[in-house]
Amino acid sequence: MSRRSSSSREVLLGLLTIEPMTGYDLGQLIRTSVGHFWRESYGQIYPNLKTLAADGLVTAKTEHQKGKPDRRVYSITDKGREQLGKWLAVEPQPEIPRNELLLKLFFAARVSPEIPIGYLERMVEKERALLRQFRQAEREIAGNRQYPDAPYWRMTARFGQLELEAHLHWAQETLAELRSLAEKEKTGERKGKHHAGK
Amino acid sequence: MSRRSSSSREVLLGLLTIEPMTGYDLGQLIRTSVGHFWRESYGQIYPNLKTLAADGLVTAKTEHQKGKPDRRVYSITDKGREQLGKWLAVEPQPEIPRNELLLKLFFAARVSPEIPIGYLERMVEKERALLRQFRQAEREIAGNRQYPDAPYWRMTARFGQLELEAHLHWAQETLAELRSLAEKEKTGERKGKHHAGK
DNA sequence: GGGTGCATGTAATGGGTTACATGATTCT
DNA sequence: AGAATCATGTAACCCATTACATGCACCC
């Protein structure tokens, strides 16, 4: 048990409190449930399940199937649940994620405004579609009263929605500004072309 | 020149278009200019400057100073500017950053609501302070007409501001919901305590 | 016949942070 | 006296993605 900062093992523990699952199931579920703020690759999931088992936080049993490969079904142990509780009590440290879009925009004066306009337009497209299915999903979860996890799941979904809305708002505002910038460049082409081609 | 996905070298190139600088200067500038969406450690900056010089994208000269250590001052070359232009033209791929706060919230039904309440409260505090200095900074940049980079820098700052506002809004909304959840738990303490202690 | 889904795993590779080493000066 | 700033660099480590390997069943 060395010092580990990341939470790759804890997602697995957390999802195993819902029901026993295989590594493959966990991969699927991660994509569909927490996928908009947390990803794991199988190259991470399988080895982590092994170390979790070695530490006694989960147990595994193999189920044979005909026609399909064997399943290694993992269950969380009491020790695992305890560990999860401890992890939950530790205040999450806010980190600043890298944003390549903003980085390119920051240096965009070196190229034609058409370039950032291009990728903002495509971004708006994608985000609009995403927002639609987000709102759809929210309506579906909204029905789930009774289940004790439901309110928390709704909160995380709501976060995604609000953030998306903010991004969209910004993108549209920014597009308008970029277009007027492009306009000015075309009309006032007298001197100061500061950016190099290509 | 192998396939590299990250943009750690390009930040350096980009900032060197402003003026020649040392690795140390670059570190400082990264923190103060793009720090709210991009970070670099010196363990990354110094080796990258070396490879950039080896590839002919920057040149270096050493300046001696008395009392202080020598400075290695890097300047971008034409080849470097060209490279930067190429990189800027490539559409940035949106990635989903991991969010540990949301992950813990997703599993928060396993602990007392007091726990997420605690860290959301502290988050609101911090973000309020951040927002104040963000708005401050924006007013200062707003004066900078004439400089060709200024509009782009404002756009990235604006992004940070809008996103922060969205986070704050969400945090307050969520706090209210968590508090009513905690209320319900205290009054209706009949059976179903589903979460384990500590 | 070929793609997709189920299912588990390992190895190579790459990207990045942290800690360490060094050392004079200036501020508190 | 001690901390912070300027300044450069390396080594250890860790986390994570991607590619590869395997193989049956089902659908088009």
Side-chain angles (χ1 to χ4, degrees), chain B residues 35-97:
Chain B
H36 59 107
F37 59 85
W38 202 273
R39 310 242 146 161
E40 291 293 341
S41 63
Y42 289 113
Q44 197 75 350
I45 293 170
Y46 286 114
N48 275 331
L49 283 171
K50 284 213 166 166
T51 68
L52 283 171
D55 292 348
L57 307 178
V58 302
T59 54
K61 80 173 78 116
T62 302
E63 283 177 9
H64 300 282
Q65 312 179 110
K66 51 211 155 273
K68 286 179 191 170
D70 288 359
R71 293 163 57 84
R72 288 230 88 197
V73 181
Y74 290 89
S75 310
I76 190 168
T77 63
D78 284 344
K79 200 175 162 195
R81 254 178 284 267
E82 201 192 309
Q83 188 74 9
L84 183 67
K86 264 188 217 153
W87 170 78
L88 283 169
V90 174
E91 180 128 359
Q93 292 310 309
E95 2 111 44
I96 289 108

Side-chain angles (χ1 to χ4, degrees), chain B:
Chain B
M1 282 183 199
S2 54
R3 85 208 67 185
R4 40 174 51 261
S5 48
S6 176
S7 308
S8 307
R9 299 166 105 227
E10 282 79 7
V11 213
L12 303 177
L13 283 181
L15 292 176
L16 287 176
T17 61
I18 300 172
E19 65 178 330
M21 268 178 274
T22 68
Y24 188 78
D25 294 338
L26 284 163
Q28 305 286 99
L29 190 55
I30 285 168
R31 253 203 297 119
T32 56
S33 63
V34 295
H36 59 107
F37 59 85
W38 202 273
R39 310 242 146 161
E40 291 293 341
S41 63
Y42 289 113
Q44 197 75 350
I45 293 170
Y46 286 114
N48 275 331
L49 283 171
K50 284 213 166 166
T51 68
L52 283 171
D55 292 348
L57 307 178
V58 302
T59 54
K61 80 173 78 116
T62 302
E63 283 177 9
H64 300 282
Q65 312 179 110
K66 51 211 155 273
K68 286 179 191 170
D70 288 359
R71 293 163 57 84
R72 288 230 88 197
V73 181
Y74 290 89
S75 310
I76 190 168
T77 63
D78 284 344
K79 200 175 162 195
R81 254 178 284 267
E82 201 192 309
Q83 188 74 9
L84 183 67
K86 264 188 217 153
W87 170 78
L88 283 169
V90 174
E91 180 128 359
Q93 292 310 309
E95 2 111 44
I96 289 108
R98 289 177 164 198
N99 187 324
E100 204 177 310
L101 173 74
L102 291 187
L103 190 62
K104 292 199 173 178
L105 198 58
F106 191 85
F107 296 123
R110 268 90 197 137
V111 286
S112 150
E114 299 306 328
I115 286 175
I117 286 174
Y119 41 73
L120 278 185
E121 277 173 348
R122 280 178 292 271
M123 176 186 156
V124 166
E125 275 320 291
K126 270 180 222 153
E127 294 201 329
R128 258 207 264 267
L130 249 169
L131 191 57
R132 244 173 282 137
Q133 73 184 73
F134 238 103
R135 295 209 237 251
Q136 179 61 21
E138 215 203 7
R139 247 169 284 135
E140 279 162 27
I141 310 174
N144 265 26
R145 317 254 145 225
Q146 82 269 8
Y147 201 45
D149 284 297
Y152 295 97
W153 296 355
R154 253 184 295 121
M155 289 170 198
T156 65
R158 178 88 178 130
F159 180 97
Q161 202 197 299
L162 284 177
E163 201 179 61
L164 243 181
E165 278 168 2
H167 286 175
L168 248 170
H169 178 190
W170 171 83
Q172 280 161 336
E173 187 187 295
T174 302
L175 263 176
E177 210 184 327
L178 283 171
R179 286 189 184 119
S180 92
L181 230 62
E183 212 41 48
K184 256 182 233 154
E185 238 193 37
K186 245 181 264 163
T187 50
E189 198 84 299
R190 337 155 258 263
K191 45 180 178 184
K193 278 261 301 174
H194 44 276
H195 51 73
K198 196 29 201 285

